[in-house]
């Protein structure tokens, strides 16, 4: 028996109940009962006949997965896909004593369950498990097997580092199997991979993440493992000799939220601080494991509380009649629960940490850090509020929306409609854990070098099968042109994990449709639509629509939206927001979320020969109605696009102006958000800096917007300016961007410097020169950002001549100082000190100490007379060279 007799029965009953519930949706979508023979096709729940052929425990495990998985997983993947997870989970339960001892529901969630976040699902558990079984349990000469749970978890992470590492990439999350095959991915993909590896070896694991840092523009995900009876953490593919250590320890000590997800509703949730739900997902607050927290209480005003009162009590004097309808919807019905977004400033806008509903009395509580929070109610009747930074518990009373609906929330008037908000970041309040000693750190560093060699040797010749087929296959001129078109539609990430079967089926389907001259158009023939999992959607959608409906939509593309809306419905409780469903699965199930509907609309249009795409700024589906084409087949700038949803037409225009294009960068110093009037989340627009002589024209859907500019300070604070905009149809707005200037003294911080071992050309150690301020520039010779700062030094020769004795240029190896521009600078300023790093890996720890991305070179930092770090910068921005002169002369 896999669980207990009682739980096995509960799993079976929930499986039957959920299958019955979703059958009605599938029937609405035109699905018929499947035969046992095709029970593993991409058509939803496995048949009874298929299940009866399985081992009893494997069947229970499979039913457990189907009972709790998102509906997207039900419809997108065959039952055979999940047998990999079910069989490995059953084997572990029977053969590993530590797994057998786990509570049944806990085992189901954190060992058996297949999904981690929003990754593609591919079989991986048996592949990983076989390798890890040998590593953890089969001894050999010179190898000491791990003896404890902690040692096993650490060793699994070492195996992970030998098979994958960090690499920045787009937001689509690849499968754990694809990460293993290609050997790299971003932090969310690293942690998905490591969680799967841990579960494959029988170690309960989950992904945790800071949705948005509150002190710097970024976010991060890592892994927690259940060992020695408690949750402990580690950096995915970043092995260390002890648990509860990672480069992110200091960053997480300044977070406002660290959260995890649970898919099942087991008894283990009673011990969690539950934030709320996102469809079928339960979100849990793990912040207390990483920093000291405080409790905030938010109150929606009702009778007895004056609007705008902060820290109000339920027995406060009764408010006036004019203030009473604060909890009323516009329909006049009482709004018993209001959804609240808790936000921090990050990447040019207010980013949501989580959404949580008030109870029927209008209040909610939440544990968080001590920085500033924007409390944003998704209700037109209420205004935003700010929880100011500070220690200790706090209460916030929301106020009624008053005055102009465009008025931003309380900040001081700044200039010409701009309002100022001084954003305060949380302080460092870490939870302390035992540290690795010097010997362990040295061993960890040596291991990472070996791991890189192993990983590179295994993956150096890797190429996805689908990519190889697109590059090398031959055929008729039309087939070759179609292959080139499909290849051009794939992203860099797609080229590392696309499957040959999917590519072949897509090409076969589009060529059968006989579009002729359109085979060079990626907006008709392209395989990629949005960020959905790649699938043979062209074949599936064509078969579903039939020739008659395809011909009708080809002549009436404006009818596609009505078809999608009438055929596919949202059931938020069955899925979660970030998970996209493929077009074929959406049609079969009759259920999908709004982003998946947009992808489906594009798929239907392309099947009908209508060029269509997902609009980059807001994810809206649109089709091309006119415009010439370039020689390469891409639409020209004259091409006209119409959204399938007529209400999403961009009939307004915002013109922005700036005096210095180089000083503004989207998602860094400015951002634009569309504000919702319907109680839905606001939408941050995905724009690109497209300045032309200080001007940028942005087409907009009519509605309310918030334009934000910000200057982030090294201490994590930010000078934020907001400008409310109401975009009206057939009208233009013209706004000049304003930035609050940073004073040089605001750039200072105080950082205890970790060890840094530098050597001169002759190999002698360079002593740290305390007693005076010093400027260090860690170079990446020959790369453009480094060239900028070196050229700026040459352009400001007189100023840098005066401070040259206090400047050290650092390279990874001695030979790099001979690079042309580096040599030009050292010849011009002979008193500059040149040195190289004894251990280049120390740069990462040093940059993390300043909360900088280690990949952003040049790395510039300044130390004061006592050797403390007082300023840092990663990468290059215009004016950095002049700013350094000011800092050194203060």
């Amino acid at each position: 028996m896999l669980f207990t007799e009682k739980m096995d029965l509960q799993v079976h009953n929930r499986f039957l109940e959920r299958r019955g519930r979703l059958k009605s949706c599938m029937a609405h979508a035109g699905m018929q009962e499947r035969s046992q023979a095709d029970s593993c096709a991409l058509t939803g729940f496995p048949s009874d006949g298929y299940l009866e052929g399985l081992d009893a425990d494997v069947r229970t495990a499979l039913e457990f997965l189907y009972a709790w998985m998102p509906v997207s997983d039900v419809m997108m993947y065959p039952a055979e896909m999940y047998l990999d997870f079910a069989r490995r989970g059953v084997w572990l339960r029977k053969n590993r004593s530590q797994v057998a001892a786990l509570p049944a529901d806990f085992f189901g969630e954190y060992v058996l369950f297949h999904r981690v976040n929003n990754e593609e699902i591919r079989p991986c558990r048996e592949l990983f498990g076989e390798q890890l079984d040998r590593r953890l349990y089969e001894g050999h000469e010179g190898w000491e097997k791990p003896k404890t749970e902690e040692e096993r978890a650490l060793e699994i992470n070492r195996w992970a580092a030998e098979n994958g590492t960090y690499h920045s990439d787009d937001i689509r999350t690849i499968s754990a199997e694809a990460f293993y095959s290609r050997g790299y991915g971003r932090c969310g993909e690293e942690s998905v991979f490591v969680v799967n590896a841990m579960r494959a070896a029988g170690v309960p694991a989950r992904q945790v993440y800071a949705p948005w840092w509150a002190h710097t523009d970024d976010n991060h995900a890592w892994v927690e493992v259940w060992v020695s009876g408690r949750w402990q953490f580690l950096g995915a593919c970043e092995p260390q000799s002890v648990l509860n250590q990672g480069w992110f320890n200091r960053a997480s000590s300044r977070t406002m939220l660290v959260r995890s997800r649970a898919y099942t509703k087991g008894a283990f949730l009673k011990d969690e601080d539950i934030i709320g739900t996102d469809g079928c997902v339960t979100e849990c607050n793990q912040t207390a494991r990483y920093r000291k927290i405080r409790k905030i209480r938010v109150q929606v005003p009702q009778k007895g509380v004056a609007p705008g009162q902060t820290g109000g009590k339920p027995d406060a004097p009764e408010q006036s009649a004019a203030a009473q309808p604060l909890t009323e919807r516009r329909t006049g019905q009482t709004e018993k629960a209001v959804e609240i977004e808790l936000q921090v400033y990050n990447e040019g806008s207010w980013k949501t940490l989580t959404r949580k509903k008030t109870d029927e009395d209008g209040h909610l509580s939440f544990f968080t850090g001590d920085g500033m929070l924007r409390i944003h109610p998704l209700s037109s009747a209420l205004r935003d509020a700010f929880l100011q930074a500070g220690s200790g518990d706090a209460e916030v009373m929301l106020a009624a929306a008053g005055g102009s609906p465009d008025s931003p929330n309380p900040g001081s008037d700044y200039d010409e409609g701009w309002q100022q908000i001084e954003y305060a970041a949380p302080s460092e309040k870490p939870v302390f854990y035992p540290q690795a000693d010097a010997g362990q750190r040295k061993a960890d560093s040596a291991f990472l070098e070996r791991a890189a060699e192993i990983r590179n040797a295994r993956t150096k010749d890797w190429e996805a099968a689908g990519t190889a087929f697109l590059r090398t296959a031959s055929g008729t001129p039309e087939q070759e042109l179609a292959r080139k078109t499909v290849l051009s539609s794939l992203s860099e990430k797609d080229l590392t994990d696309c499957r040959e079967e999917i590519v072949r089926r897509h090409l076969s389907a589009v060529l059968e449709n006989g579009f002729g001259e359109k085979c060079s158009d990626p907006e008709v023939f392209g395989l990629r639509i949005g960020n959905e999992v790649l699938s043979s959607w062209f074949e599936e959608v064509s078969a579903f629509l039939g020739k008659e409906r395809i011909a009708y939509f080809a002549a009436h593309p404006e009818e596609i939206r009505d078809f999608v809306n009438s055929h596919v419905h949202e059931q938020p409780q069955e899925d979660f927001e970030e998970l996209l469903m493929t077009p074929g699965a959406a049609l079969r199930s009759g259920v999908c979320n709004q982003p998946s509907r947009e992808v489906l609309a594009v798929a239907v249009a392309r099947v009908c020969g209508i060029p269509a795409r997902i609009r980059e700024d807001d994810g809206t589906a649109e089709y091309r109605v006119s415009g010439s084409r370039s020689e390469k087949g891409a639409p020209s700038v004259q091409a006209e696009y119409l959204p399938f949803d007529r209400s999403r037409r961009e009939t307004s225009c915002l013109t922005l102006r700036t005096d210095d294009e180089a000083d503004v960068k989207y998602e860094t110093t400015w951002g634009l958000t569309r504000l919702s009037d319907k109680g839905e989340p606001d939408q941050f627009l995905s724009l690109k800096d497209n300045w032309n002589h200080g001007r940028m024209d942005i087409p907009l859907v009519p509605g309310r917007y918030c334009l934000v500019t910000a200057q982030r300070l090294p201490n994590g604070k930010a000078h934020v300016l907001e400008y409310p905009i109401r975009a009206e149809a057939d009208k233009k707005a013209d706004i000049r961007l304003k930035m609050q200037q940073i004073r040089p003294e605001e750039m200072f911080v105080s950082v205890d410097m970790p060890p840094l071992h530098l050597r001169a050309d002759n190999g002698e150690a360079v002593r740290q020169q305390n007693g005076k301020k010093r400027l260090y520039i860690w170079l990446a010779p020959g790369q453009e950002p480094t060239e900028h700062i070196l050229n700026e030094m040459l352009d400001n020769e007189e100023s840098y001549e005066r401070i040259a004795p206090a400047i050290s240029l650092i390279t990874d190896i001695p030979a790099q100082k001979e690079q042309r521009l580096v040599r030009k600078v050292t010849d011009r300023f002979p008193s500059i000190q040149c040195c190289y790093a004894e251990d280049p890996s120390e740069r990462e720890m040093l940059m993390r100490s300043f909360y900088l991305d280690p990949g952003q070179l040049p790395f510039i930092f300044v130390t004061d007379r006592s050797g403390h770090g007082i300023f840092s910068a990663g990468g290059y921005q215009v004016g950095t060279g002049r700013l350094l002169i000011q800092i050194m002369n203060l």
Side-chain angles (χ1 to χ4, degrees):
M1 189 170 295
L2 184 63
F3 299 116
T4 63
E5 183 176 355
K6 180 180 179 181
M7 185 170 172
D8 280 7
L9 180 60
Q10 289 174 338
V11 167
H12 182 65
N13 289 338
R14 176 173 170 82
F15 169 77
L16 295 177
E17 181 271 330
R18 192 160 190 243
R19 185 172 67 176
R21 188 169 69 248
L22 291 179
K23 269 187 176 180
S24 61
C25 299
M26 296 163 66
H28 173 80
M31 286 291 298
Q32 302 296 323
E33 283 292 330
R34 294 161 296 135
S35 66
Q36 181 177 344
D38 68 354
S39 64
C40 286
L42 298 179
T43 49
F45 287 91
S47 67
D48 289 337
Y50 179 81
L51 292 171
E52 288 169 3
L54 300 176
D55 168 84
D57 286 337
V58 172
R59 171 177 177 162
T60 299
L62 195 62
E63 288 186 347
F64 178 89
L65 299 181
Y66 274 98
W68 294 109
M69 69 174 63
V71 68
S72 298
D73 290 356
V74 174
M75 300 306 303
M76 285 169 54
Y77 305 103
E80 284 183 344
M81 185 80 75
Y82 299 117
L83 285 180
D84 171 78
F85 299 88
R87 285 171 175 157
R88 184 63 186 177
V90 170
W91 188 91
L92 288 166
R93 191 74 164 166
K94 291 181 176 179
N95 293 277
R96 294 284 181 248
S97 59
Q98 69 272 22
V99 178
L102 293 171
D105 59 331
F106 195 84
F107 157 76
E109 175 72 37
Y110 296 119
V111 176
L112 171 63
F113 207 70
H114 64 287
R115 179 162 291 286
V116 179
N117 196 327
N118 63 342
E119 73 279 5
E120 180 179 357
I121 302 299
R122 294 190 193 175
C124 65
R125 295 285 173 84
E126 294 189 310
L127 170 66
F128 297 168
E130 289 172 1
Q131 294 188 44
L132 290 166
D133 284 345
R134 291 192 296 270
R135 188 169 183 126
L136 299 176
Y137 298 101
E138 297 178 14
H140 56 82
E141 186 176 354
W143 176 259
E144 186 175 349
K145 294 185 295 183
K147 297 182 177 63
T148 66
E149 293 180 5
E150 288 90 342
E151 289 175 352
R152 280 193 288 271
L154 293 168
E155 191 58 36
I156 294 167
N157 205 25
R158 292 189 186 97
W159 173 87
E162 292 175 355
N163 288 286
T165 190
Y166 177 80
H167 177 76
S168 181
D169 217 331
D170 65 47
I171 62 172
R172 179 175 69 86
T173 305
I174 61 175
S175 67
E177 183 273 335
F179 179 93
Y180 170 84
S181 295
R182 73 178 195 169
Y184 62 88
R186 54 184 173 77
C187 65
E189 292 162 331
E190 286 183 298
S191 51
V192 165
F193 171 61
V194 172
V195 168
N196 272 283
M198 292 287 177
R199 292 180 181 179
V203 178
R206 63 189 180 191
Q207 182 192 60
V208 293
Y209 51 102
W212 298 102
W213 296 127
H215 64 282
T216 188
D217 291 336
D218 205 352
N219 56 9
H220 191 54
W222 59 96
V223 174
E224 288 188 343
V225 291
W226 181 266
V227 295
S228 300
R230 69 185 192 279
W231 287 109
Q232 303 188 61
F233 63 89
L234 47 83
C237 301
E238 298 167 347
Q240 297 200 30
S241 294
V242 295
L243 290 173
N244 301 318
Q245 294 299 314
W247 67 261
F248 51 86
N249 280 55
R250 290 189 63 183
S252 62
S253 77
R254 298 188 70 178
T255 190
M256 296 293 282
L257 175 67
V258 176
R259 69 183 182 188
S260 66
R261 281 179 165 149
Y263 294 87
T264 68
K265 302 294 187 289
F268 61 87
L269 286 176
K270 73 178 186 303
D271 298 322
E272 295 283 4
D273 174 17
I274 296 176
I275 303 169
T277 58
D278 176 6
C280 65
V281 171
T282 301
E283 295 184 340
C284 304
N285 191 344
Q286 309 300 340
T287 314
R289 192 166 293 109
Y290 300 92
R291 64 156 296 133
K292 295 180 181 178
I293 57 175
R294 63 170 173 163
K295 183 177 182 179
I296 63 168
R297 186 173 179 270
V298 179
Q299 175 71 57
V300 173
Q302 298 182 24
K303 282 188 177 182
V305 182
Q309 182 177 344
T310 300
K313 298 180 179 179
D315 56 353
E318 185 169 320
Q319 63 192 62
S320 66
Q324 287 182 14
L326 293 177
T327 56
E328 303 267 327
R329 295 187 188 272
R330 291 185 177 180
T331 61
Q333 297 176 343
T334 301
E335 189 169 12
K336 293 184 177 180
V338 177
E339 196 160 26
I340 306 289
E341 288 189 341
L342 303 170
Q343 301 176 333
V344 296
Y345 171 77
N346 195 298
E347 293 186 349
S349 69
W350 295 97
K351 294 292 197 298
T352 298
L353 294 175
T354 190
R355 289 195 295 272
K356 189 169 185 177
K357 280 188 176 180
T358 66
D359 59 24
E360 292 191 357
D361 294 325
H363 43 75
L364 63 80
S365 59
F366 184 77
F367 290 95
T368 185
D370 59 0
M372 176 185 283
L373 274 179
R374 186 174 199 148
I375 301 168
H376 177 57
L378 300 182
S379 168
S380 58
L382 298 167
R383 294 183 63 185
D384 291 0
F386 286 95
L387 173 70
Q388 300 301 325
S391 59
D393 297 347
E395 293 187 358
V396 178
M397 174 65 71
L398 297 183
S404 167
D406 292 331
S407 298
N409 283 316
S412 59
D413 289 335
Y414 186 69
D415 186 26
E416 300 178 7
W418 291 92
Q419 291 201 340
Q420 177 181 344
I421 299 169
E422 289 300 312
Y423 176 74
S427 61
E428 280 190 19
K429 292 191 175 178
V431 176
F432 292 100
Y433 296 98
Q435 305 284 309
D437 59 34
Q440 290 172 320
R441 290 195 299 270
K442 186 174 182 180
D444 292 341
S445 180
F447 171 80
L448 286 174
E449 292 184 14
R450 296 195 303 274
E453 293 174 358
I454 295 170
R455 181 177 62 248
N456 293 336
R458 185 181 68 81
T459 61
K460 64 178 181 178
D461 297 323
W462 165 255
E463 183 175 42
T467 305
F469 168 73
L470 287 169
R471 282 195 313 101
T472 61
S474 60
T476 66
E478 184 183 39
Q479 289 171 334
E480 291 186 8
L481 181 57
R483 275 195 296 273
K484 289 180 181 178
T485 303
V486 172
L487 189 64
S488 71
S489 76
L490 299 177
S491 69
E492 179 183 348
K493 178 178 283 186
D494 293 334
L495 297 177
T496 67
D497 74 336
C498 62
R499 287 174 285 176
E500 184 174 348
E501 177 193 5
I502 298 298
V503 172
R504 283 183 179 274
R505 292 173 66 178
H506 180 76
L507 279 170
S508 176
V510 296
L511 288 169
E512 282 180 10
N513 275 36
F515 290 147
E517 75 282 356
K518 293 183 179 179
C519 68
S520 65
D521 190 345
E523 291 180 356
V524 178
F525 266 37
L527 175 58
R528 166 64 61 205
I529 297 177
N531 284 319
E532 78 286 357
V533 171
L534 290 179
S535 67
S536 53
W537 58 263
F538 203 106
E539 175 186 28
E540 298 174 75
V541 175
S542 297
F544 189 95
L545 293 178
K547 292 182 179 180
E548 183 176 338
R549 196 149 39 183
I550 288 174
Y552 179 78
F553 287 147
H556 303 89
E558 68 280 359
E559 300 290 333
I560 290 176
R561 170 59 63 180
D562 291 339
F563 164 75
V564 170
N565 287 344
S566 64
H567 188 84
V568 182
H569 303 277
E570 290 190 66
Q571 287 196 351
Q573 73 278 9
E574 297 286 1
D575 230 318
F576 67 98
E577 187 177 303
E578 298 174 18
L579 201 56
L580 288 181
M581 191 180 288
T582 60
L587 286 175
R588 290 192 305 271
S589 66
V591 176
C592 71
N593 57 24
Q594 184 57 40
S596 301
R597 285 189 185 189
E598 303 296 326
V599 171
L600 175 58
V602 171
V604 170
R606 290 185 181 180
V607 162
C608 300
I610 303 165
R613 68 182 186 182
I614 296 294
R615 198 160 65 196
E616 289 187 6
D617 62 353
D618 64 356
T620 295
E622 56 184 11
Y623 62 99
R624 195 172 74 239
V625 294
S626 64
S628 60
R629 303 189 62 77
S630 69
E631 293 180 1
K632 294 184 179 180
S636 71
V637 292
Q638 288 80 31
E640 181 184 354
Y641 290 87
L642 289 177
F644 292 98
D645 183 345
R646 297 170 183 81
S647 69
R648 307 297 286 178
R649 293 194 66 175
E650 295 175 319
T651 58
S652 181
C653 182
L654 169 64
T655 296
L656 296 180
R657 302 181 189 274
T658 181
D659 295 327
D660 191 346
E661 297 177 11
D663 280 345
V664 294
K665 183 177 180 182
Y666 198 71
E667 293 188 282
T668 299
T669 59
W670 73 284
L672 184 64
T673 300
R674 178 185 296 144
L675 305 179
S676 172
D677 289 314
K678 302 177 182 178
E680 300 169 348
D682 300 335
Q683 183 177 23
F684 181 69
L685 301 186
S686 297
L687 303 178
K688 295 179 180 177
D689 286 292
N690 188 23
W691 300 96
N692 183 14
H693 301 292
R695 172 179 172 150
M696 182 173 170
D697 295 319
I698 307 171
L700 296 177
V701 176
R704 297 187 306 123
Y705 294 81
C706 180
L707 176 65
V708 170
T709 68
Q711 299 274 35
R712 175 80 77 174
L713 304 178
N715 61 13
K717 296 180 180 180
H719 298 315
V720 179
L721 297 178
E722 289 189 351
Y723 194 106
I725 301 167
R726 179 171 286 282
E728 299 184 33
D730 303 318
K731 291 187 178 180
K732 296 182 178 181
D734 198 313
I735 300 173
R736 180 168 293 278
L737 284 181
K738 290 189 177 292
M739 301 275 183
Q740 186 172 342
Q741 296 304 306
I742 298 175
R743 302 185 304 276
E745 58 269 23
E746 290 184 294
M747 302 297 291
F748 291 164
V749 294
S750 180
V751 173
D752 292 329
M753 300 285 289
L756 179 59
H757 300 95
L758 304 176
R759 292 194 176 274
D761 288 346
N762 60 8
E764 293 184 0
V766 174
R767 293 184 179 180
Q768 188 171 355
Q769 300 181 31
N770 292 341
K772 59 182 179 180
K773 194 182 298 181
R774 191 157 194 87
L775 166 62
Y776 296 85
I777 306 177
W778 201 313
L779 306 173
Q783 295 184 17
E784 187 173 302
T786 289
E787 302 256 313
H788 279 303
I789 187 62
L790 294 177
N791 279 318
E792 197 166 350
M793 292 172 68
L794 295 172
D795 292 341
N796 294 273
E797 180 178 0
E798 183 177 343
S799 296
Y800 273 92
E801 185 65 47
R802 289 194 293 267
I803 64 174
I807 298 177
S808 294
L809 299 183
I810 307 172
T811 60
D812 286 348
I813 57 176
Q816 287 179 323
K817 80 167 192 175
E818 301 302 325
Q819 192 266 344
R820 179 192 60 82
L821 194 55
V822 177
R823 174 55 65 189
K824 187 175 181 179
V825 168
T826 55
D827 288 345
R828 183 78 60 86
F829 308 111
S831 59
I832 280 181
Q833 179 188 68
C834 282
C835 49
Y836 66 92
E838 179 179 321
D839 180 4
S841 66
E842 289 180 343
R843 185 185 69 231
E844 178 173 356
M845 184 60 69
L846 183 56
M847 294 187 75
R848 296 297 188 188
S849 297
F850 283 103
Y851 306 109
L852 295 176
D853 180 351
Q856 292 185 334
L857 294 177
F859 169 39
I860 301 167
F861 62 100
V862 177
T863 57
D864 63 12
R865 292 178 174 82
S866 62
H868 284 80
I870 60 171
F871 171 82
S872 68
Y876 177 78
Q877 293 183 1
V878 172
T880 298
R882 297 190 299 274
L883 177 61
L884 292 174
I885 294 169
Q886 290 180 282
I887 289 174
M888 293 301 290
N889 288 326
L890 283 176

